[in-house]
């Protein structure tokens, strides 16, 4: 009886060295290797600057998503002219600073122009104030008010004198000058205490004393009225002087500001400059001698460090150095980094102060007119970032504000005008995040209409191979590595193929290819090699495996010493070798495990011990239930399936998941039912359906290599091998030692399409195909199985009576 075995030629997957040499000589400059669909989507999404056409980029880590975005956008021309953004003081409402937009590169010149304006205005004001003409006019005004005041005082004093009173001035303990009225008796001013003494001595009549006192209070009222008039006149004098200052100075300010308006003609900038001119005229004391200011004038504005700061500007975005559209990769997209903030400071009196000059723009504002790239996982680490991002995309504006905190619950003392943005958002994340957002967030589809999916593999053809070679050569040249030969390239390409587990595919996880190149170069230098060849690559891979395969070695040692029972010789009833995949994340390997089965009369059906013990995953549970369906459809169409069978993964103490052992469980159960011993030098990995058809499984290479390594430890007999699904042959990218063993006949790989083919290999008997009458030929394995199942059904029925 012969069974199909894979040959050395059928296992070969390397790209011929001659082809590599030819493609290498004809290589051309590549853009992004193997991602045409994703690149087309990126090109479409980045060029279509319409609302909602932001981009979500998916794909495995290391497939070149960041590099592709950078290459596409690094020299992207702006669709619309870029703007500088500045924050300015709002003269009418200091709590709401204004936002101005200037052509790219003009913010700094505008700031310099404003500084020059203030400097020039200050100098010209000082010069005008100190001019003889202004001093003469000022002195004339002051003199006229002094004369008016003196006339009022003289008239008041004459009235006092005529009525027998005198105006006297004195100083208080605080050295303040006060005025009072005193009666004059016999040419001498006296106070009322003296008058009272004279009355008591009979030198002065009470009637006269009463007359003097009444006149005193009358003149005192007149004095107060005089003081009010004088105060009013002084205020009027100040206003007259201020108006005169404005009249002298306004032409200066108007001239300077109008020159600036002529240079910066934008509407919002023009309005700001007009308001600035008005504010300067209202605060001329800022431009005159600071020592002459009143205490009230020297009060620090609550919103600024000093009042002169109100004429400065805060540049939020400076695009003066940009030749192309802004491209920002925001690695930490928290609220502050995305939307900006308003800083504050704690004064010595513990008062918190802030200013429009302390506003900071976030990356969403800085990227306006260009592109902002965000990492999905980082974005969703801060709960509020996503909601605020959607709000900004909806409104086209960003509100700079200070996030609320226990020390600043209101979110800041000032609230600038919102900043208008035109930013294309590109989010990089995996498929699961995209699916969750698409299915749970009703706004997501509205704002992210473009998806660019990066594939983790690409077809093997001459064009892609040429690009792969170009990538490797470019990285070696860029990173100053040892030169690589055609055999070295061949080994790297083999590695790229093995990563996909498909002989017609290359992996596009170029980050891992680059990691391998770095390691190969290191070990080549350590060995003193002049170049990188296949031996150097295989050495680097072996070194990597050695440093990561401790779990594999531990498990192998348990099998060698018999702690874990595995037989690779002989035959047994109800026992079959299965193959499991162990994934440690950084390292994946396969190892055999023992599947045993028992079968007795009964009606309990098939008991999966792993499921009963809670060690079985959902997919494995499904595979276990398929077994009973297979038995019914294949053997028990004309009689009830009645048996008590149990299936166990021996010495398995963790959760089992996947259906790649479903065929192994069927083989073990059929061996137990038929009481026919199965080969122990064969291991099986294959999924099966209810019709007995074999289905593909994952990790086929690691599983084959895992069983081969155990057989090698116990000694190769030439009969050992592995049964795999025929549909997995295309996935065979085996290590060199396994291919050598297949070549010399010491190890075999059997591809099968159905259970019958596996039964024939394991039992050494013809499986037997069912006839038109629904029976199996005598002396075949399936004939025995059906007969045994009928016997178990009868015994089960009799036991129930």
């Amino acid at each position: 009886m012969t069974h199909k075995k894979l040959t050395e030629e059928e296992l070969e997957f390397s790209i011929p060295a001659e082809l590599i040499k030819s493609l290498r000589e004809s290589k051309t400059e590549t853009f992004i290797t193997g991602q045409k669909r994703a690149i087309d989507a990126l090109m479409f999404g980045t060029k279509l600057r319409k609302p909602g056409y932001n981009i979500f980029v998916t794909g495995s880590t290391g497939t070149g998503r960041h590099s592709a975005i950078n290459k596409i956008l690094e020299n992207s021309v702006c669709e619309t002219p870029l703007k500088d953004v500045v924050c300015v003081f709002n003269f009418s409402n200091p709590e709401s600073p204004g936002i101005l937009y200037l052509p790219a590169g003009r913010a700094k010149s505008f700031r310099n122009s404003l500084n020059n304006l203030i400097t020039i205005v200050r100098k010209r004001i000082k010069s005008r104030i100190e001019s003889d003409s202004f001093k003469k006019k000022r002195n004339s005004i002051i003199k006229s008010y002094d004369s008016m005041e003196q006339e009022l005082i003289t008239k008041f004093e004459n009235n006092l004198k005529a009525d027998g009173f005198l105006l006297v001035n004195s100083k208080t303990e605080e050295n303040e000058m006060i005025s009072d009225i005193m009666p004059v008796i016999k040419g001498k001013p006296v106070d009322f205490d003296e008058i009272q003494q004279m009355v008591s001595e009979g030198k002065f009549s009470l009637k006269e004393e009463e007359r003097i006192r009444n006149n005193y209070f009358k003149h005192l009222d007149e004095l107060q009225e005089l003081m009010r008039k004088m105060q009013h006149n002084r205020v009027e004098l100040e206003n007259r002087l201020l108006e005169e200052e404005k009249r002298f100075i306004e032409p200066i300010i108007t001239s300077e500001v109008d020159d600036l308006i002529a240079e910066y003609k934008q509407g919002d900038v023009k309005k700001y400059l007009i308001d600035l001119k008005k504010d300067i005229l209202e605060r001329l004391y800022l431009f005159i001698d600071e020592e002459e200011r009143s205490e009230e004038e020297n009060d620090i504005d609550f919103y600024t460090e000093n009042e002169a700061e109100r004429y400065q500007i805060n540049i939020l975005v400076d695009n003066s150095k940009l030749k192309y559209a802004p491209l920002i990769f925001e690695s930490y997209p928290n609220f502050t980094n995305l939307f900006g903030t308003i800083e504050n400071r704690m004064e010595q009196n513990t008062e918190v102060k802030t200013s429009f000059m302390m506003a900071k723009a976030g990356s969403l504002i800085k990227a306006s007119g260009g592109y902002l790239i965000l990492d999905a996982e980082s974005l969703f680490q801060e709960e509020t970032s996503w909601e605020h991002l959607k709000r900004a995309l909806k409104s086209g504006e960003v509100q700079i504000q200070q996030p609320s905190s226990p020390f600043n619950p209101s979110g800041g003392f000032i609230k600038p005008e919102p900043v208008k943005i035109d930013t294309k958002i590109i989010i990089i994340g995996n498929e699961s995040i995209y699916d969750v957002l698409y299915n749970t967030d009703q706004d997501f589809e509205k704002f992210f209409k473009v998806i660019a999916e990066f594939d983790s593999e690409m077809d093997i053809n001459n064009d892609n191979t040429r690009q792969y070679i170009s990538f490797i050569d470019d990285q070696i040249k860029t990173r100053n590595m040892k030169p690589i030969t055609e055999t070295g390239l061949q080994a790297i390409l083999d590695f790229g193929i093995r990563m996909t587990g498909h002989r017609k595919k290359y992996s596009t996880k170029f980050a891992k290819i680059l990691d391998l190149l770095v390691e190969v170069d290191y070990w080549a230098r350590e060995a003193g090699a002049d170049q990188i060849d296949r031996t150097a690559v295989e050495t680097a891979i072996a070194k990597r495996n050695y440093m990561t395969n401790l779990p594999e070695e531990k498990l192998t040692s348990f099998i060698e010493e018999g702690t874990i029972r595995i037989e690779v010789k002989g035959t047994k009833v109800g026992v079959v070798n299965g193959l499991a995949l162990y994934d440690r994340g950084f390292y994946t390997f396969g190892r055999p495990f023992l599947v045993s089965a028992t079968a007795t009369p009964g009606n309990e059906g098939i008991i999966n011990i792993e499921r009963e013990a809670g060690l079985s995953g959902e997919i494995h549970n499904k595979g276990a239930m398929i077994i009973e369906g297979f038995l019914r459809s294949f053997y028990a169409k004309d009689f009830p399936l009645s048996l008590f069978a149990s299936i166990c993964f021996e010495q398995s103490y963790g959760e089992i998941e996947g259906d790649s052992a479903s065929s192994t469980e069927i083989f073990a159960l059929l061996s137990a039912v038929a009481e026919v011993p199965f080969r122990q030098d064969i291991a099986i990995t294959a999924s099966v359906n209810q019709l007995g058809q074999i289905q593909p499984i994952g990790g086929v290479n690691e599983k084959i290599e895992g069983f081969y390594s155990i057989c090698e430890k116990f000694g190769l007999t030439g009969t050992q091998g592995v049964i795999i699904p025929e549909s997995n042959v295309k996935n065979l990218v085996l290590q060199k030692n396994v291919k050598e063993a297949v070549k010399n006949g010491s190890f075999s790989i059997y591809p099968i399409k159905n259970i019958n083919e596996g039964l024939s290999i394991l039992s050494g008997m013809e499986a037997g195909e069912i006839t038109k009458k629904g029976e199996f030929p005598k002396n075949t394995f399936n004939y025995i199985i059906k007969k045994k199942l009928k016997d178990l059904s009868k015994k089960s029925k009799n036991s129930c009576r």
Side-chain angles (χ1 to χ4, degrees):
M1 186 185 306
T2 60
H3 307 290
K4 176 174 174 54
K5 300 179 184 180
L6 294 179
T7 64
E8 176 192 8
E9 290 74 19
E10 289 175 303
L11 295 179
E12 187 53 56
F13 61 89
S14 289
I15 307 299
E18 297 79 12
L19 178 60
I20 292 174
K21 182 178 181 180
S22 173
L23 294 174
R24 192 179 195 183
E25 291 173 351
S26 63
K27 71 175 183 178
T28 57
E29 186 176 351
T30 60
F31 182 54
I32 301 295
T33 303
Q35 301 292 352
K36 185 179 185 306
R37 189 193 309 273
I39 298 306
D40 288 346
L42 279 173
M43 297 291 284
F44 167 73
T46 54
K47 290 184 177 181
L48 184 59
R49 295 197 75 89
K50 298 293 183 182
Y53 281 87
N54 298 294
I55 308 167
F56 196 101
V57 180
T58 68
S60 301
T61 301
T63 52
R65 295 172 299 177
H66 287 83
S67 299
I69 293 169
N70 190 63
K71 283 188 177 182
I72 290 173
L73 299 178
E74 62 182 349
N75 295 325
S76 179
V77 178
C78 297
E79 297 291 332
T80 56
L82 291 177
K83 299 286 187 181
D84 287 349
V85 184
V86 301
C87 185
V88 296
F89 189 81
N90 188 335
F91 302 109
S92 60
N93 184 9
E95 293 184 13
S96 181
I99 299 295
L100 303 180
Y101 305 90
L102 297 135
R106 296 301 302 278
K108 286 183 177 179
S109 63
F110 183 61
R111 180 178 62 188
N112 293 336
S113 296
L114 274 181
N115 291 338
N116 292 336
L117 169 72
I118 299 303
T119 301
I120 292 171
V121 165
R122 188 183 298 278
K123 288 180 179 180
R124 293 190 64 183
I125 287 175
K126 183 178 181 181
S127 175
R128 183 64 63 92
I129 293 297
E130 292 177 351
S131 66
D132 291 340
S133 59
F134 178 76
K135 287 181 178 179
K136 184 177 180 180
K137 183 65 177 177
R138 177 184 174 89
N139 291 337
S140 174
I141 294 172
I142 293 173
K143 186 176 181 181
S144 66
Y145 275 85
D146 286 347
S147 297
M148 190 185 304
E149 184 175 304
Q150 187 60 44
E151 184 179 341
L152 289 172
I153 293 173
T154 301
K155 183 178 178 181
F156 179 68
E157 286 181 333
N158 290 337
N159 290 339
L160 289 178
K161 185 177 182 181
D163 205 16
F165 286 89
L166 178 69
L167 181 65
V168 295
N169 296 314
S170 61
K171 289 185 178 180
T172 64
E173 293 180 358
E174 290 79 16
N175 207 31
E176 293 181 357
M177 186 67 71
I178 59 172
S179 298
D180 198 3
I181 298 170
M182 295 184 70
V184 177
I185 299 176
K186 295 180 180 182
K188 178 183 176 183
V190 295
D191 58 26
F192 281 97
D193 289 339
E194 292 180 84
I195 294 174
Q196 192 71 33
Q197 181 66 29
M198 293 169 66
V199 170
S200 63
E201 294 175 354
K203 298 178 181 179
F204 212 76
S205 68
L206 284 172
K207 185 176 181 180
E208 184 64 18
E209 187 267 343
E210 184 178 355
R211 183 189 69 79
I212 293 173
R213 188 177 292 278
N214 289 336
N215 286 340
Y216 169 79
F217 285 114
K218 182 188 72 171
H219 292 305
L220 191 62
D221 290 339
E222 292 172 352
L223 176 61
Q224 291 176 347
E225 179 63 24
L226 175 64
M227 293 295 117
R228 280 194 292 270
K229 285 183 179 180
M230 291 174 63
Q231 180 64 32
H232 174 75
N233 288 343
R234 287 169 185 167
V235 172
E236 193 174 275
L237 172 61
E238 290 295 327
N239 290 335
R240 280 286 308 276
L241 291 174
L242 183 59
E243 288 299 322
E244 196 61 29
E245 285 180 352
K246 288 183 179 180
R247 190 177 70 81
F248 264 74
I249 293 171
E250 186 171 7
I252 298 173
I253 300 172
T254 299
S255 172
E256 297 295 336
V257 173
D258 285 352
D259 288 345
L260 209 54
I261 290 175
E263 185 178 356
Y264 299 92
K265 300 177 181 179
Q266 302 97 300
D268 55 345
V269 179
K270 181 177 179 180
K271 181 182 181 303
Y272 167 75
L273 291 172
I274 292 172
D275 291 341
L276 177 139
K277 177 176 70 174
K278 181 181 177 182
D279 191 75
I280 292 175
L281 288 171
E282 291 175 352
R283 295 174 179 262
L284 286 175
Y285 60 82
L286 292 172
F287 298 84
I288 307 175
D289 190 355
E290 296 182 3
E291 295 180 358
E292 295 179 1
R293 298 185 196 173
S294 67
E295 181 179 346
E296 181 179 351
E297 290 173 337
N298 275 299
D299 285 343
I300 295 178
D301 191 287
F302 180 77
Y303 295 100
T304 58
E305 182 178 355
N306 55 67
E307 287 196 291
E309 188 181 75
R310 66 200 292 119
Y311 304 123
Q312 298 179 15
I313 68 168
N314 177 10
I315 300 177
L316 299 177
V317 179
D318 176 17
N319 287 321
S320 59
K321 296 182 179 180
L322 287 185
K323 295 181 180 179
Y324 304 100
L327 177 61
I328 297 178
F329 286 82
E330 182 54 74
S331 58
Y332 185 37
N334 62 7
F335 184 91
T336 297
N337 289 344
L338 273 180
F339 307 102
T341 189
I342 302 171
E343 299 175 345
N344 55 39
R345 61 180 178 274
M346 188 75 71
E347 299 293 332
Q348 291 183 351
N349 58 0
T350 70
E351 184 180 22
V352 177
K353 290 194 176 183
T354 189
S355 155
F356 75 98
M357 292 296 291
M358 301 173 77
K360 307 294 180 184
S363 53
L364 196 56
I365 296 173
K366 294 177 181 178
S368 184
Y371 309 90
L372 176 62
I373 294 87
L374 305 172
D375 177 73
E377 291 187 8
S378 300
L379 177 63
F380 290 101
Q381 285 180 359
E382 187 164 329
E383 185 177 349
T384 60
S385 293
W386 173 243
E387 292 302 322
H388 280 84
L389 179 61
K390 289 193 298 180
R391 191 173 301 138
L393 292 175
K394 183 177 182 180
S395 65
E397 296 178 337
V398 173
Q399 177 66 67
I400 299 177
Q401 59 185 353
Q402 187 173 19
S404 296
S405 69
F407 303 101
N408 186 28
S410 64
F413 300 111
I414 60 176
K415 186 178 181 181
E417 295 177 7
V419 180
K420 298 175 184 177
I421 60 167
D422 176 24
T423 307
K424 177 77 72 173
I425 306 296
I426 302 174
I427 296 181
I428 301 176
N430 56 46
E431 290 85 351
S432 61
I433 294 178
Y434 177 85
D435 291 340
V436 169
L437 289 172
Y438 191 91
N439 293 312
T440 61
D441 191 323
Q442 60 183 357
D443 295 324
F444 178 71
E445 184 181 9
K446 184 194 310 180
F447 296 127
F448 289 85
K449 298 179 183 293
V450 181
I451 178 172
E453 297 187 80
F454 277 70
D455 199 349
S456 60
E457 57 188 33
M458 64 182 183
D459 294 335
I460 293 179
N461 55 47
N462 286 353
D463 186 49
N464 285 343
T465 302
R466 183 184 293 108
Q467 292 185 44
Y468 225 91
I469 293 170
S470 295
F471 168 80
I472 296 169
D473 280 338
D474 290 345
Q475 292 300 320
I476 286 177
K477 182 178 179 181
T478 301
R479 298 171 188 274
N480 196 28
M481 297 178 181
K482 292 286 185 180
I484 188 168
T485 66
E486 276 75 24
T487 62
L489 283 170
Q490 185 183 50
I492 298 292
L493 293 176
D494 290 351
F495 180 80
I497 297 171
R498 181 175 170 86
M499 283 173 61
T500 67
H502 196 300
R503 283 188 281 171
K504 295 183 179 181
K505 301 284 184 181
Y506 285 128
S507 171
T508 57
K509 294 182 178 180
F510 292 105
K512 292 187 178 295
I513 298 296
L514 179 57
D515 289 344
L516 178 60
L517 285 174
V518 171
E519 294 172 27
V520 170
D521 181 69
Y522 171 82
W523 290 115
R525 292 177 186 276
E526 286 290 297
D530 295 328
Q531 56 187 3
I532 296 172
D533 55 13
R534 172 173 282 278
T535 301
V537 176
E538 290 176 349
T539 298
I541 294 174
K543 293 282 189 181
R544 174 188 285 188
N545 291 341
Y546 166 74
M547 289 185 284
T548 57
N549 72 353
L550 180 61
E552 180 181 11
E553 287 190 1
K554 289 283 187 183
L555 193 55
T556 300
S557 67
F558 292 154
I559 294 174
E560 280 188 281
E561 65 189 22
T563 303
I564 296 177
R565 298 186 61 184
I566 295 292
E567 298 288 342
V568 294
K569 298 176 184 178
T571 59
K572 283 188 178 181
V573 174
V575 176
V576 177
N577 285 326
L579 291 170
L581 190 68
Y582 295 83
D583 189 353
R584 297 295 302 275
F586 57 86
Y587 186 72
T588 304
F589 63 96
R591 279 296 178 268
F593 62 90
L594 201 64
V595 177
S596 65
T598 62
T600 58
N603 294 299
E604 291 85 347
I606 299 174
I607 303 299
N608 184 290
I609 293 177
E610 265 62 43
R611 181 172 60 189
E612 297 300 317
L615 296 176
S616 178
E618 293 180 355
I619 298 176
H620 181 256
N621 288 339
K622 177 184 176 182
M625 288 186 282
I626 286 174
I627 297 172
E628 192 166 343
F630 165 75
L631 294 179
R632 292 182 187 281
S633 66
F634 211 67
Y635 300 108
K637 290 182 178 180
D638 53 355
F639 62 90
L641 181 64
S642 300
L643 79 163
F644 175 30
S646 64
I647 301 174
C648 179
F649 284 50
E650 300 293 351
Q651 293 183 288
S652 173
Y653 308 107
E655 181 175 311
I656 296 174
E657 183 57 296
D659 63 351
S660 63
S662 56
S663 65
T664 312
E665 293 175 284
I666 286 178
F667 289 131
L669 180 59
L670 294 180
S671 174
V673 171
E675 297 180 346
V676 173
F678 277 9
R679 293 172 61 179
Q680 301 300 293
D681 54 0
I682 300 291
I684 307 102
T685 177
S687 170
V688 67
N689 62 22
Q690 293 186 102
L691 304 178
Q693 297 168 330
I694 296 299
Q695 303 172 142
I697 47 83
V700 64
N701 293 297
E702 291 82 359
K703 291 175 180 178
I704 292 173
E705 291 162 357
F707 189 64
Y708 172 81
S709 68
I710 295 301
C711 292
E712 192 176 39
K713 292 288 184 183
F714 283 108
L716 292 172
T717 62
T719 63
Q720 294 145 335
V722 173
I723 294 174
I724 66 168
E726 186 181 60
S727 52
N728 274 124
V729 171
K730 64 181 180 294
N731 303 113
L732 295 181
V733 188
L734 295 168
Q735 293 174 350
K736 183 179 180 180
N737 59 343
V738 179
K739 291 192 292 182
E740 287 291 332
V742 170
K743 179 181 179 181
N744 61 37
S746 58
F747 193 79
S748 301
I749 299 174
Y750 302 94
I752 64 172
K753 297 178 182 177
N754 53 57
I755 287 293
N756 276 352
E757 293 180 15
L759 288 173
S760 179
I761 296 170
L762 291 170
S763 67
M765 301 174 58
E766 288 288 345
E769 298 292 335
I770 195 167
T771 64
K772 293 181 179 179
K773 294 182 179 181
E775 298 294 335
F776 293 103
K778 289 185 178 181
N779 299 322
T780 63
F781 187 90
N782 285 330
Y783 176 84
I784 297 173
I785 284 292
K786 186 169 184 178
K787 184 176 184 302
K788 291 283 187 179
L789 288 174
K790 279 185 177 181
D791 291 342
L792 288 172
S793 179
K794 289 178 182 178
K795 291 178 181 178
S796 299
K797 184 177 180 180
N798 292 333
S799 65
C800 293
R801 292 178 177 177

